[in-house]
Structures are given as structure tokens and as C-alpha cells.
Amino acid sequence: MTRLSRYFLPTTREDPADAEAASHRLILRAGLARQVGAGLWTWLPAGWRAHRKVEQIIREELDTVGCAELLMPVLLPAELWKQSGRYEIDELFKLRDRRDAELVLAMTHEEVITQHVSREVRSYRDLPKLLYHFQIKERDEPRPRAGVLRTREFIMKDAYSFDRDFEGLDQSYTLLIQAYDAIFDRTGLEWYRVESDVGMMGGVGAHEYMAPCAAGENDVALSDAGYAANVEIASATPQPVDGLPEALAGPEPAETPGTTTIETVSQLLGVPEGALIKALPQVVEGRGPVLVLVRGDHTLNEIKLQNALGAAARPAEAKEVRELFGTEPGYIGPIGAQVPVVADEALRGMHGLVTGANELDTHLVGVEPGRDFDPEWADVRRVEAGDLDPSGAAIRIEPAIEIGNIFKLGTRYSEPLGARYLDEQGAEHPIVMGSYGIGPARVVAAAIEQFHDEQGIAWPRAVAPFDVELVTLGKPGEEARDVADKLYDELRAEGLDVLYDDREGSAGEKFADAELLGCPLRLTIGKRGLEAGEVDAQIRRGQEQRSLPLEGAAAAAAELWASLP
């Protein structure tokens, strides 16, 4: 029985002052969740229903491809994380028990699932395996934001594949792609699968599932030819530089007093910003100082740089520029550099460029990479809108919410944690793994972001907390109330999840709350409708009004609901 007179649905009329995203604002206003502390949220009954509907879709599709559900603990021995090499991750919560044993709060479960498999799987006959669970994750997130999108505690679905070799991993990966595509199709979201960085998970390849929306914390590079990649790893052919200076026989000095930025040098010398070499002094972990070069109109992609160097890097401070690079900030350049030089591929083959002369108030013009200096080449720039994908199609950049991710882990965890098997000849091999995650809360938030209007949420049918909201305008003892009570039972008998607004209150208040919560279909029983022998129906998406005959209204409503997106 879900009657609003007894249900806990604390809606509010005003927008929260601290709400950043539409989903943050509407989750609070519609009474779906409440904040406990920074990055900590309680799902209230209606919000939890939406969360559980997403979970059920995930379960059904994973079960279809042969995954088996289990449940692993949140509190784990620290030793597992030390064995995998992930214990020093800043976002990992670390603690000790009363016996001073070191523990962690799981942010993912690769370590523990690999431990289980290492103890139970012995032979090639035991493989492959597909396992998954839903569990709370804890992450010491430095900047919780956007409501439930970036939190310190959340529920995650993790799935793991275990195979004999990389060919088997490819087959399991394909199975999980099949399941994930079906999952996100069923949620009703607009989504796409993009290539992504493996990040702290490690491994040999990864994809992310993205839901485009303005509040997204990720940028995705897309083209009409089907190219799709997170900008963290996206590659493209850069747009040419208009007005590139003529080539010179060799570099020539130019006085540039007090000009230490790309913009000011460009203006002083009368050349486009793309004709400048942006020299970025970096300090690389385990390697020391490195000078990184990108085109003046481009931006360094820190993830791509880290992948290219195989280590994390940070910008050098002014003191380090003088001590490690032997020059002045703002006038640094690659010619005669005292440190290794890494140049972005977009600079290859260019001529007539401008760069710092490693002397105060001086730049060099007519510079050509490869002739005047010999760098290490790498793709380290951020792709820009208008660049061309491998097919020649123009790229656009869109913000999106990450709603799922899949990783080819390879032997990243099986090697350090000893997950091995014996083949047909008795030879021992490491098990090859994959990892596959979905955040149900992110799916809920993405649905709100993509489907809302000024009045509130307009849920996709598959993840709405209720299928139908039934509103009665009659008071106890009146015919409209009696008819609504009867219709409530009939709707439930049709298999619909119904929220029944049987509260005392005005029609305006009830309609406002109904539009705020956003059930796909609203039915209203009032005196005027009864006199006409009709039930007023509103399709929430687009607020389309319909009339259903009172006789057989439940069956007609179920048929109408089944036709909605």
C-alpha cells in the first residue's frame, strides 16, 4: 500500500541554495534523498525505489550472459591492497581495529575477488568465471559535488571476469558489452560507449558508458562518423594554423620585453597563437625535469602525458625552472635545453615557429622542430572541437556523466595476488581478468538530468519510482474518493506500481507535487470527470492530456503506460 497520506515524501517548493546540477536540485525538491554530511546521502523511499529499479535491470541483464551474483564485505584487510600496490591511493580510507590490525574500506573489490579465485580455481577446467555483486563503496573524495554524482559513499555494481588467456578475456569483454548495451537501452537514457583511460584500475584497455548532459563532469570527443572517446585519451588531427609565418634558414632572436604569455607574445610579434611553441616545464616522478611542448593554441592533456611518460608529472615551480631547467619562467624553450624534451605530435613538420630563447626578454622566431632540436615525440595535447577524427569527420566536445565502465585488467591483479591455473600440460599461468562497474545512483541522476522541465522530473518509464500517480480530488465519503480507492486496487492488479495521493489538500498542491516527482503517467479522479464518465490522464513527458473511459480505466491506463518511453 503506497498512499501519500502515510508515505515519507518530503517535497519542497524552493530550490536549494547549494544545488549545482538539475539532478541535485530535483532530488532534494522531490524528496528522493537527503544529505547527511559532505558526500554522504540517505536515499529516501521514492529515491530508493528508483535506485532498486536500476539495480534490477542490471541484475537481469548480467544474469542473461551468465554472471553469478555474490556479496563481498566493505571492510577488508589492508594487506590485500598492499599486495596489489594500491594501498597508497589517497582516496582509500585506512583504519585499524582494536588489535591494531590494518584495514581499509573498499573503494573497489578487485583485490578480494582475486583472492577468492586464487584460492578456489586450480585448473583450466575451472575457467572462465563471471561474478558480480552490489556493494557499498567508500572513497575519501576530496571534492564531493553535484548531489549524488560525486560522493564519498555509494553503491556500485562490480562484475569480474576470469579467463585462461587474452582471447578468453576478449570474449568475456564482448559478453559484458552486450549486457551493458542492453542495460542502458532499457534505462531509457541517451548514452554512448567511449574509449577511456585505465586510470588507477590499471590494465590494458577500457571503455566508459556516458550519458550526455550539461552537468557532466567528463568531456567526450564525438563525431558523426562514430568516433567516441573520453578527452582524457582522445586523439585527432589538429586544425591547421592560418597565417603561419614563412620558414627561415635558422632561428633568429626577437626582443620580447615583459612578454611571458602566449597571448602577449602573439600580439607583439603579430603571429597567430598556433605559431608559438608552448613550453611547459614538468617534473616527472622518478625521472626528474622534462620540457613538454605543445602548440600555442593547444592545451596539455595531463592524462595523456602521464601515459606517454609512464609516470605522473607536475608543473615545475618558478624556483625549479631556474635551478633544474637553467632559465627564466616565461622565456623557456627547447633549443639548447638542459633537460629532455617531449614534443606533441601536432608540432611535427611545422616551420616558422616562435619559442622562448632561454634568455630574459627574448624569443626565437623561424624555429623548426626536428631541425633546430630533436625531441621525443608523443601525443600529449587535448583534442579540441573542430579537429578531425581518423575518418576525417569533425569532432565535437560534449559534457557527460559516466554511468558505467569496463576494463581489460589482464594480469594486473592476478600476478601480485597469486591467481594462477594449470593448463592441459600442467604448466602454470596467471588468470586474465576483466572488471566492469555501474553506479546505479549515477544512472538515476543521469535520468533526471536528461529528462526534466521547469515543473520537475519526467522519468523514463523503466526507472521511475512509480509507474502511475493516482490523484483523488474527493474527500472521504465522497464518490470521487470511493472511485479512486477502487481504481487504485484495479491498477495494482494490472501489475502497476501506483502512488496514491489520498491526502487532504488542494488540486493545485497535488498536481504540483505530482509533476515534481514525475511519474510517467498521472491519473486524476474528480467530480467533473465522474460526471463525464472519464478519468483524466496526463503523460508526464510533454504534459500531454488524455481522457480514459471510467469503465475499464485500469486496463486502459496499463496499455497507455506500456506505450510510454
Side-chain angles (χ1 to χ4, degrees):
M1 300 289 286
T2 311
R3 295 173 179 262
L4 262 180
S5 58
R6 300 182 181 183
Y7 200 65
F8 187 42
L9 188 70
T11 59
T12 61
R13 295 285 179 264
E14 301 298 324
D15 285 341
D18 61 343
E20 306 169 20
S23 58
H24 186 183
R25 172 171 55 85
L26 290 171
I27 279 172
L28 290 170
R29 284 195 56 206
L32 304 182
R34 287 293 182 265
Q35 189 168 1
V36 177
L40 301 171
W41 287 79
T42 293
W43 286 99
L44 301 184
W48 186 235
R49 287 179 67 95
H51 196 287
R52 289 175 61 198
K53 285 197 172 183
V54 175
E55 289 182 21
Q56 187 58 28
I57 291 171
I58 296 169
R59 278 193 175 92
E60 290 173 5
E61 296 301 332
L62 291 184
D63 291 349
T64 296
V65 298
C67 289
E69 186 173 3
L70 45 72
L71 182 63
M72 292 175 279
V74 179
L75 186 65
L76 300 173
E79 181 57 32
L80 288 173
W81 288 71
K82 291 180 179 180
Q83 289 178 33
S84 71
R86 296 205 299 170
Y87 184 71
E88 299 305 324
I89 292 174
D90 291 337
E91 290 81 8
L92 182 65
F93 279 107
K94 306 173 181 74
L95 64 154
R96 294 175 182 267
D97 67 13
R98 66 181 67 192
R99 288 177 290 276
D100 207 35
E102 292 181 296
L103 301 165
V104 302
L105 298 179
M107 57 194 303
T108 59
H109 280 78
E110 281 73 17
E111 283 80 2
V112 67
I113 192 70
T114 306
Q115 180 198 52
H116 287 311
V117 170
S118 72
R119 293 174 174 177
E120 308 300 334
V121 171
R122 295 285 181 269
S123 167
Y124 69 94
R125 295 186 181 89
D126 300 323
L127 297 171
K129 289 283 186 290
L130 294 173
L131 303 168
Y132 77 98
H133 76 155
F134 289 87
Q135 183 55 287
I136 292 170
K137 312 292 182 183
E138 305 284 353
R139 184 168 299 183
D140 193 4
E141 173 62 53
R143 293 176 298 277
R145 60 174 294 273
V148 300
L149 280 177
R150 186 180 292 276
T151 59
R152 305 174 81 195
E153 178 177 286
F154 53 94
I155 292 174
M156 191 83 174
K157 186 285 302 172
D158 302 314
Y160 302 96
S161 63
F162 301 87
D163 286 281
R164 297 174 57 182
D165 49 32
F166 281 91
E167 182 180 352
L169 171 60
D170 288 343
Q171 293 172 0
S172 293
Y173 201 78
T174 299
L175 272 180
L176 269 295
I177 285 177
Q178 173 187 323
Y180 269 47
D181 289 358
I183 287 165
F184 293 119
D185 279 345
R186 286 183 60 184
T187 64
L189 293 177
E190 179 187 351
W191 61 272
Y192 34 71
R193 176 179 0 105
V194 305
E195 296 177 40
S196 67
D197 181 56
V198 298
M200 69 176 181
M201 297 291 291
V204 295
H207 289 80
E208 291 169 333
Y209 283 77
M210 295 290 195
C213 70
E217 75 275 64
N218 289 274
D219 285 333
V220 178
L222 302 166
S223 79
D224 292 339
Y227 182 81
N230 192 309
V231 293
E232 291 180 344
I233 67 161
S235 295
T237 302
Q239 300 169 74
V241 179
D242 292 330
L244 195 66
E246 293 293 327
L248 300 179
E252 297 178 3
E255 294 186 7
T256 53
T259 53
T260 59
T261 67
I262 295 294
E263 182 180 7
T264 56
V265 174
S266 170
Q267 291 174 351
L268 179 66
L269 298 181
V271 298
E273 292 187 0
L276 274 68
I277 295 176
K278 187 186 296 183
L280 304 165
Q282 303 283 310
V283 178
V284 182
E285 190 175 289
R287 181 169 173 176
V290 173
L291 186 62
V292 180
L293 310 178
V294 297
R295 220 168 74 178
D297 58 343
H298 288 166
T299 303
L300 177 67
N301 184 317
E302 296 176 354
I303 299 296
K304 289 168 75 172
L305 176 63
Q306 178 173 320
N307 291 339
L309 298 176
R314 63 170 176 81
E317 299 174 358
K319 181 180 178 181
E320 292 173 317
V321 172
R322 296 184 179 95
E323 294 178 352
L324 300 177
F325 293 81
T327 187
E328 287 293 318
Y331 296 95
I332 191 168
I335 298 178
Q338 301 176 12
V339 301
V341 177
V342 175
D344 181 65
E345 289 285 354
L347 290 168
R348 193 190 288 270
M350 295 188 72
H351 59 74
L353 303 182
V354 178
T355 187
N358 293 313
E359 295 180 16
L360 192 65
D361 295 336
T362 306
H363 280 74
L364 296 175
V365 299
V367 175
E368 290 189 20
R371 181 193 70 181
D372 302 323
F373 61 93
D374 189 20
E376 173 187 342
W377 293 97
D379 177 10
V380 295
R381 75 179 182 96
R382 186 185 192 275
V383 167
E384 304 290 345
D387 292 344
L388 302 181
D389 76 2
S391 75
I395 280 176
R396 65 186 185 276
I397 308 294
E398 290 186 1
I401 295 172
E402 179 190 335
I403 49 177
N405 50 55
I406 54 179
F407 298 91
K408 289 185 177 181
L409 298 178
T411 59
R412 164 66 181 85
Y413 296 90
S414 55
E415 288 277 19
L417 291 162
R420 308 180 72 82
Y421 75 96
L422 299 178
D423 66 15
E424 295 92 332
Q425 286 75 42
E428 192 174 63
H429 304 277
I431 294 173
V432 180
M433 294 175 55
S435 176
Y436 316 85
I438 296 178
R442 285 178 161 263
V443 176
V444 170
I448 297 171
E449 290 286 343
Q450 290 187 353
F451 305 109
H452 70 275
D453 55 26
E454 293 182 359
Q455 283 70 45
I457 306 167
W459 291 102
R461 180 165 54 93
V463 299
F466 297 94
D467 301 327
V468 176
E469 180 162 353
L470 173 62
V471 176
T472 179
L473 303 182
K475 297 178 181 179
E478 295 180 351
E479 183 184 8
R481 174 61 66 91
D482 294 339
V483 171
D485 287 348
K486 182 172 181 287
L487 181 57
Y488 175 51
D489 292 334
E490 292 172 346
L491 290 166
R492 293 173 66 213
E494 290 285 342
L496 295 170
D497 289 329
V498 185
L499 179 64
Y500 181 19
D501 191 346
D502 62 341
R503 299 172 299 173
E504 300 293 332
S506 70
E509 291 172 335
K510 292 185 174 187
F511 292 159
D513 275 354
E515 292 188 342
L516 179 59
L517 181 60
C519 297
L521 182 63
R522 186 185 82 210
L523 304 176
T524 303
I525 300 293
K527 182 179 179 182
R528 186 177 304 173
L530 290 180
E531 290 174 351
E534 295 176 341
V535 175
D536 293 328
Q538 185 203 62
I539 298 171
R540 179 62 184 86
R541 188 81 60 83
Q543 298 179 312
E544 179 187 345
Q545 302 293 331
R546 299 274 187 95
S547 292
L548 303 179
L550 186 58
E551 185 69 30
E559 183 178 353
L560 176 57
W561 171 83
S563 71
L564 301 180

